[in-house]
Amino acid sequence: MNIKYFEKKEAAVDYAAQIMYDQIKSNPKSVLGLATGNTFEPVYYDFVGKIQGTDGRLNLNLSAITTYNLDEYVNVADKDQEQSYYHYMNFHLFRYTDIDLKKTNFPNHYSEDFRTELTFPEFENSIRKIGGIDLQFLGVGTNGHIGFNEPGSSINSVTRCVMLSQATINVNSRKFANPADMPRKAVTMGIKTILESGKKIVLVALGREKEAALRQLVNAKAYDPN
Ligand code: GLP
């Protein structure tokens, strides 16, 4: 594990965006695991800046990459709903690229029956079949959640429907015009999914409010579900 510390957010963001750029440049058929949240908005912005020449033309071909998003809210999964992570990806990244939308994957489209712990084997199989994820981006919640794997998640967890913690609801509901509309459930890649499929994993944490969670993550001697 390599830990890089940056004084300025911009430098951390640029470092992550450059890893994404280099990954696709070295393998145009890369499989990317994409994360959302405030952390990745500037990362994608920086990346888009790198691929757009001054004449507006793209200097990097994304048409052969495949993407898997980490998580998605339940019942906000509709493409047109602003708070959906599909909308986020399209708004911050996809629309500026020549990415093939048919090769973008979200862990939500297989069932209308979102029982907690319902698993998504088709999503998992699809990642396995393509040979895993070359570059997996991760953020971290202030309570330590990864994707939507809340504290308490097992190291053997797979892609499944989860209940969100009150801490996550409190933070993320700020994105909803009416905070009460924030879903209580989401679908997330599991810890096992992330660890087994990610060939290279880059976790980005920006700002002091992530410090406590990050210290615990980095200092853990073994897998700690919290
Ligand atoms: C969100 C997402 C995570 C993200 C994390 C941090 O709830 N589900 O994938 O990494 O919380 O978000 P932010 O970057 O906005 O702090």
Side-chain angles (χ1 to χ4, degrees), residues 36-39 70-71 85 139-141 145 147-148 168 172 210:
T36 51
N38 292 334
T39 309
L70 253 187
D71 46 16
Y85 287 158
V140 60
H145 73 235
F148 274 130
T168 299
N172 289 22
K210 299 289 173 71

mmCIF file of all heavy atoms in Angstrom, residues 36-39 70-71 85 139-141 145 147-148 168 172 210, ligand 1:
data_model
loop_
_atom_site.group_PDB
_atom_site.id
_atom_site.type_symbol
_atom_site.label_atom_id
_atom_site.label_comp_id
_atom_site.label_asym_id
_atom_site.label_seq_id
_atom_site.Cartn_x
_atom_site.Cartn_y
_atom_site.Cartn_z
ATOM 1 N N THR A 36 -18.194 7.963 -6.939
ATOM 2 C CA THR A 36 -18.909 9.242 -7.060
ATOM 3 C C THR A 36 -18.633 10.089 -5.810
ATOM 4 O O THR A 36 -17.615 9.915 -5.167
ATOM 5 C CB THR A 36 -20.414 8.979 -7.238
ATOM 6 O OG1 THR A 36 -20.828 8.088 -6.202
ATOM 7 C CG2 THR A 36 -20.717 8.368 -8.586
ATOM 8 N N GLY A 37 -19.526 10.977 -5.484
ATOM 9 C CA GLY A 37 -19.351 11.830 -4.300
ATOM 10 C C GLY A 37 -18.617 13.115 -4.645
ATOM 11 O O GLY A 37 -18.101 13.277 -5.754
ATOM 12 N N ASN A 38 -18.549 14.007 -3.669
ATOM 13 C CA ASN A 38 -17.878 15.303 -3.876
ATOM 14 C C ASN A 38 -16.415 15.118 -4.260
ATOM 15 O O ASN A 38 -15.871 15.893 -5.043
ATOM 16 C CB ASN A 38 -17.919 16.138 -2.589
ATOM 17 C CG ASN A 38 -19.328 16.577 -2.256
ATOM 18 O OD1 ASN A 38 -20.178 16.693 -3.143
ATOM 19 N ND2 ASN A 38 -19.598 16.784 -0.978
ATOM 20 N N THR A 39 -15.792 14.091 -3.697
ATOM 21 C CA THR A 39 -14.366 13.857 -3.927
ATOM 22 C C THR A 39 -14.043 13.703 -5.404
ATOM 23 O O THR A 39 -13.017 14.200 -5.874
ATOM 24 C CB THR A 39 -13.942 12.568 -3.179
ATOM 25 O OG1 THR A 39 -14.377 12.684 -1.835
ATOM 26 C CG2 THR A 39 -12.448 12.332 -3.253
ATOM 27 N N LEU A 70 -19.453 1.887 -8.548
ATOM 28 C CA LEU A 70 -19.404 1.236 -7.232
ATOM 29 C C LEU A 70 -20.765 1.024 -6.605
ATOM 30 O O LEU A 70 -21.009 0.032 -5.956
ATOM 31 C CB LEU A 70 -18.685 2.174 -6.275
ATOM 32 C CG LEU A 70 -17.305 1.961 -5.774
ATOM 33 C CD1 LEU A 70 -17.004 3.013 -4.714
ATOM 34 C CD2 LEU A 70 -17.118 0.578 -5.192
ATOM 35 N N ASP A 71 -21.615 2.019 -6.771
ATOM 36 C CA ASP A 71 -22.872 1.974 -6.027
ATOM 37 C C ASP A 71 -23.942 2.831 -6.691
ATOM 38 O O ASP A 71 -23.658 3.615 -7.612
ATOM 39 C CB ASP A 71 -22.661 2.411 -4.560
ATOM 40 C CG ASP A 71 -21.818 3.676 -4.429
ATOM 41 O OD1 ASP A 71 -21.642 4.393 -5.431
ATOM 42 O OD2 ASP A 71 -21.347 3.954 -3.316
ATOM 43 N N TYR A 85 -26.578 8.224 -9.358
ATOM 44 C CA TYR A 85 -25.160 8.209 -9.691
ATOM 45 C C TYR A 85 -24.961 8.063 -11.197
ATOM 46 O O TYR A 85 -23.919 8.452 -11.715
ATOM 47 C CB TYR A 85 -24.425 7.115 -8.898
ATOM 48 C CG TYR A 85 -24.259 7.498 -7.433
ATOM 49 C CD1 TYR A 85 -24.045 6.533 -6.461
ATOM 50 C CD2 TYR A 85 -24.297 8.830 -7.027
ATOM 51 C CE1 TYR A 85 -23.874 6.890 -5.124
ATOM 52 C CE2 TYR A 85 -24.134 9.183 -5.704
ATOM 53 C CZ TYR A 85 -23.928 8.215 -4.754
ATOM 54 O OH TYR A 85 -23.753 8.569 -3.443
ATOM 55 N N GLY A 139 -13.784 6.330 -2.787
ATOM 56 C CA GLY A 139 -13.780 7.430 -1.833
ATOM 57 C C GLY A 139 -13.981 6.808 -0.465
ATOM 58 O O GLY A 139 -13.942 5.588 -0.308
ATOM 59 N N VAL A 140 -14.191 7.638 0.522
ATOM 60 C CA VAL A 140 -14.498 7.105 1.860
ATOM 61 C C VAL A 140 -15.449 8.069 2.555
ATOM 62 O O VAL A 140 -15.315 9.284 2.421
ATOM 63 C CB VAL A 140 -13.199 6.873 2.671
ATOM 64 C CG1 VAL A 140 -12.395 8.146 2.876
ATOM 65 C CG2 VAL A 140 -13.488 6.198 4.015
ATOM 66 N N GLY A 141 -16.440 7.526 3.240
ATOM 67 C CA GLY A 141 -17.371 8.371 3.989
ATOM 68 C C GLY A 141 -16.723 8.799 5.300
ATOM 69 O O GLY A 141 -15.742 8.197 5.743
ATOM 70 N N HIS A 145 -17.339 4.481 5.507
ATOM 71 C CA HIS A 145 -17.941 3.600 4.502
ATOM 72 C C HIS A 145 -17.187 3.679 3.173
ATOM 73 O O HIS A 145 -16.641 4.717 2.794
ATOM 74 C CB HIS A 145 -19.454 3.823 4.340
ATOM 75 C CG HIS A 145 -19.872 5.069 3.636
ATOM 76 N ND1 HIS A 145 -20.737 5.971 4.185
ATOM 77 C CD2 HIS A 145 -19.567 5.557 2.406
ATOM 78 C CE1 HIS A 145 -20.939 6.960 3.339
ATOM 79 N NE2 HIS A 145 -20.245 6.741 2.244
ATOM 80 N N GLY A 147 -17.752 2.713 -0.866
ATOM 81 C CA GLY A 147 -18.961 2.479 -1.668
ATOM 82 C C GLY A 147 -20.106 2.782 -0.713
ATOM 83 O O GLY A 147 -20.117 3.823 -0.051
ATOM 84 N N PHE A 148 -21.058 1.876 -0.572
ATOM 85 C CA PHE A 148 -22.057 2.007 0.496
ATOM 86 C C PHE A 148 -21.933 0.848 1.479
ATOM 87 O O PHE A 148 -22.904 0.432 2.089
ATOM 88 C CB PHE A 148 -23.482 2.124 -0.072
ATOM 89 C CG PHE A 148 -23.879 3.528 -0.431
ATOM 90 C CD1 PHE A 148 -24.432 3.813 -1.673
ATOM 91 C CD2 PHE A 148 -23.747 4.571 0.471
ATOM 92 C CE1 PHE A 148 -24.812 5.099 -2.020
ATOM 93 C CE2 PHE A 148 -24.137 5.874 0.138
ATOM 94 C CZ PHE A 148 -24.671 6.129 -1.105
ATOM 95 N N THR A 168 -24.712 8.392 7.155
ATOM 96 C CA THR A 168 -24.644 8.585 5.700
ATOM 97 C C THR A 168 -25.857 9.370 5.202
ATOM 98 O O THR A 168 -25.729 10.259 4.356
ATOM 99 C CB THR A 168 -24.558 7.208 5.006
ATOM 100 O OG1 THR A 168 -23.359 6.564 5.456
ATOM 101 C CG2 THR A 168 -24.529 7.331 3.502
ATOM 102 N N ASN A 172 -25.436 12.734 3.053
ATOM 103 C CA ASN A 172 -25.808 12.710 1.633
ATOM 104 C C ASN A 172 -27.154 13.369 1.336
ATOM 105 O O ASN A 172 -27.389 13.776 0.196
ATOM 106 C CB ASN A 172 -25.827 11.271 1.109
ATOM 107 C CG ASN A 172 -24.425 10.694 0.997
ATOM 108 O OD1 ASN A 172 -23.509 11.163 1.649
ATOM 109 N ND2 ASN A 172 -24.258 9.693 0.167
ATOM 110 N N LYS A 210 -12.220 13.820 6.751
ATOM 111 C CA LYS A 210 -12.003 12.395 6.451
ATOM 112 C C LYS A 210 -10.866 11.817 7.300
ATOM 113 O O LYS A 210 -10.564 10.633 7.230
ATOM 114 C CB LYS A 210 -11.655 12.214 4.967
ATOM 115 C CG LYS A 210 -12.730 12.686 3.984
ATOM 116 C CD LYS A 210 -13.932 11.764 4.020
ATOM 117 C CE LYS A 210 -15.092 12.276 3.191
ATOM 118 N NZ LYS A 210 -14.890 12.215 1.773
HETATM 119 C C1 GLP B 1 -20.910 8.446 -0.806
HETATM 120 C C2 GLP B 1 -20.684 7.348 -1.863
HETATM 121 C C3 GLP B 1 -19.320 6.784 -1.755
HETATM 122 C C4 GLP B 1 -18.365 7.936 -1.573
HETATM 123 C C5 GLP B 1 -18.527 8.498 -0.194
HETATM 124 C C6 GLP B 1 -17.795 9.795 0.043
HETATM 125 O O1 GLP B 1 -22.000 8.215 -0.029
HETATM 126 N N1 GLP B 1 -21.619 6.275 -1.818
HETATM 127 O O2 GLP B 1 -19.011 5.981 -2.879
HETATM 128 O O3 GLP B 1 -17.048 7.496 -1.703
HETATM 129 O O4 GLP B 1 -19.875 8.596 0.149
HETATM 130 O O5 GLP B 1 -18.469 10.867 -0.520
HETATM 131 P P1 GLP B 1 -17.848 12.305 -0.652
HETATM 132 O O6 GLP B 1 -16.766 12.202 -1.646
HETATM 133 O O7 GLP B 1 -18.976 13.163 -1.108
HETATM 134 O O8 GLP B 1 -17.340 12.685 0.676
#
